[in-house]
Amino acid sequence: MSQTSPAAFQRVHNTRHRLVCLRARREDTQHQMDALALTLEQTTVKIAAVEAELGAAVEAPVAGGVDPTSWLPNELMIMLLLRVGWGMARGRVCRRWHTLHQTPVLQRTLWDQRWEGYASGRLKPRVLLSDNGVENVAIGRDGVVYCVMFLSSTIKCLSPIDGTLLRTLEGHMNSVNALFAGHDGCVY
C-alpha cells in the first residue's frame, strides 16, 4: 500500500474543507432566498390589499354626495390643472376637476394665463440667433433646448433658463437635417 505524501494529504484536506464551506454557503443562500421569496410574496399581498383599499376609498360615495375636493379653493384647483397639464387632466380624478376642465371660460382663462406674461411684456420670447439661421429645434425632458443651425453638423444645447450654450454635440459627418427629443431623454 502506497503512502500519501503530506503535501497531497494537505491538498485533499483543504479541498474537502472548501467543498464543505461552499455547500454550507449554498444552503445558507437557499434559506435566505426562501425567506426573501416569502417576504416578497407577503409584501405583494399587502400591496394588493392596500391598492384595493385605496380604490374603494376613491370610489366610495361621500356622505351627502359632497365632492371631497370641495374644501379646495378654485384657485388651487386651477393651479393644479396648470401644473399637471391640461391634456393630462382629462383622466377621471373627481367630479369637480372634471367640471373645471370642461368649463369653456376656465379653458380660455388658463390659455390666456399661459400667454399673459408675453402679452404684458413681463416675459420675452427667446430668440435664437445664428449666422446660418435655425433649422430645427427640440425641447428635452429636462427643458434643455436642442438646436440645429442651417447647414450645420453640430447640435447646440441651450439652457432652458437663460438660453446660454451648455454644450455642443459633434460627430455628424454631414449637416443635421432633423432633430427629435424622445420621451426616454435621448435626442434623435
Side-chain angles (χ1 to χ4, degrees):
M1 184 162 168
S2 70
Q3 203 171 25
T4 55
S5 69
F9 176 77
Q10 188 64 38
R11 182 176 174 205
V12 169
H13 175 72
N14 289 344
T15 305
R16 284 184 180 164
H17 179 70
R18 283 193 351 244
L19 185 59
V20 167
C21 290
L22 287 171
R23 286 180 177 157
R25 186 188 308 171
R26 179 181 62 191
E27 190 174 326
D28 287 345
T29 303
Q30 186 62 49
H31 287 302
Q32 290 173 357
M33 288 174 53
D34 293 344
L36 287 173
L38 180 62
T39 302
L40 177 63
E41 184 179 329
Q42 291 170 344
T43 304
T44 302
V45 169
K46 288 178 182 178
I47 287 172
V50 172
E51 285 177 342
E53 183 182 340
L54 177 62
V58 169
E59 296 296 326
V62 180
V66 177
D67 189 344
T69 63
S70 60
W71 60 272
L72 294 174
N74 280 343
E75 293 79 12
L76 180 59
M77 291 296 287
I78 292 169
M79 287 173 56
L80 289 170
L81 284 170
L82 283 171
R83 184 74 176 156
V84 170
W86 202 254
M88 292 177 66
R90 293 181 192 270
R92 184 173 168 215
V93 178
C94 67
R95 274 179 280 162
R96 182 159 170 239
W97 184 285
H98 184 69
T99 303
L100 286 172
H101 180 263
Q102 297 300 324
T103 306
V105 172
L106 181 60
Q107 287 179 353
R108 279 194 303 278
T109 302
L110 291 172
W111 182 259
D112 290 344
Q113 282 183 353
R114 192 172 284 170
W115 298 105
E116 183 272 329
Y118 294 101
S120 68
R122 183 174 46 84
L123 296 174
K124 301 284 185 214
R126 193 169 299 142
V127 179
L128 302 173
L129 298 176
S130 167
D131 294 338
N132 296 337
V134 177
E135 182 172 346
N136 210 321
V137 175
I139 310 294
R141 278 189 342 181
D142 53 0
V144 173
V145 180
Y146 298 93
C147 301
V148 175
M149 306 308 171
F150 188 69
L151 296 176
S152 174
S153 62
T154 62
I155 298 171
K156 308 286 185 191
C157 304
L158 307 177
S159 166
I161 297 169
D162 57 6
T164 57
L165 180 65
L166 298 174
R167 64 186 169 277
T168 301
L169 304 177
E170 299 176 337
H172 291 276
M173 300 303 259
N174 298 315
S175 63
V176 179
N177 298 318
L179 185 64
F180 175 76
H183 292 294
D184 57 0
C186 294
V187 178
Y188 302 95

